[in-house]
């Protein structure tokens, strides 16, 4: 089971840190991804991190502003979001996938309930 938290309302230019926490002892076996969704649109990929945090990957629109990290001892992946923009407003969710590949919108082993991020201008 996955749970995303840390969302909220912030002004443009502000920061938030999201957390994705898993209730499994094998969390270190999963690659983890963050996705976001706005009403009427499909989920968009945001960032992903490998099982050991050896590799990370970002969507172009967030690279340089967002940082993904993980603490396997706490079964948690973080998404530090800086210099937020109104277009970052969305429900952010995390997903996990076993094996060598990052989770995608159509290929994942579990999705967590999302957390709302609202950025005001």
């Amino acid at each position: 089971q996955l749970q995303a938290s840390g969302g909220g309302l912030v002004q443009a230019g502000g920061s938030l840190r999201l957390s994705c926490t898993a209730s499994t002892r094998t969390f270190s076996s999963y690659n983890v991804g963050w996705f976001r969704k706005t009403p009427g649109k499909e989920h968009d990929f945001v960032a992903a991190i490998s099982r050991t945090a050896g590799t990370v990957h970002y969507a172009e629109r967030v690279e340089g502003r967002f940082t993904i990290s993980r603490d396997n001892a706490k079964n948690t992946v973080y998404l530090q979001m800086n210099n937020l923009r109104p277009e970052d407003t969305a429900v952010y969710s995390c997903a996990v996938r076993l094996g060598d590949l990052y989770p995608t919108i159509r290929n994942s082993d579990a999705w967590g309930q999302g957390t709302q991020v609202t950025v005001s201008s």
Side-chain angles (χ1 to χ4, degrees):
Q1 184 176 2
L2 295 172
Q3 181 64 55
S5 62
L9 173 64
V10 64
Q11 289 187 332
S15 299
L16 284 173
R17 188 177 79 158
L18 305 184
S19 298
C20 172
T21 302
S23 57
T24 174
R25 294 181 179 180
T26 60
F27 183 67
S28 61
S29 299
Y30 291 87
N31 301 302
V32 181
W34 282 99
F35 301 82
R36 65 189 185 187
K37 189 178 187 306
T38 54
K41 295 185 177 181
E42 293 286 332
H43 278 93
D44 280 338
F45 167 76
V46 176
I49 188 166
S50 63
R51 292 168 290 183
T52 61
T55 59
V56 296
H57 184 60
Y58 298 97
E60 185 175 339
R61 64 181 66 85
V62 306
E63 193 156 16
R65 300 187 297 123
F66 291 11
T67 303
I68 189 170
S69 61
R70 68 189 296 162
D71 184 342
N72 285 337
K74 296 182 178 179
N75 284 0
T76 301
V77 166
Y78 303 100
L79 185 67
Q80 178 67 43
M81 306 186 297
N82 297 329
N83 192 20
L84 283 160
R85 304 168 180 168
E87 54 264 39
D88 294 319
T89 295
V91 175
Y92 286 71
S93 302
C94 54
V96 297
R97 187 174 185 182
L98 280 170
D100 297 328
L101 301 178
Y102 290 138
T104 66
I105 295 168
R106 290 174 176 78
N107 286 286
S108 65
D109 292 304
W111 276 84
Q113 187 174 1
T115 185
Q116 176 71 47
V117 171
T118 303
V119 185
S120 62
S121 57

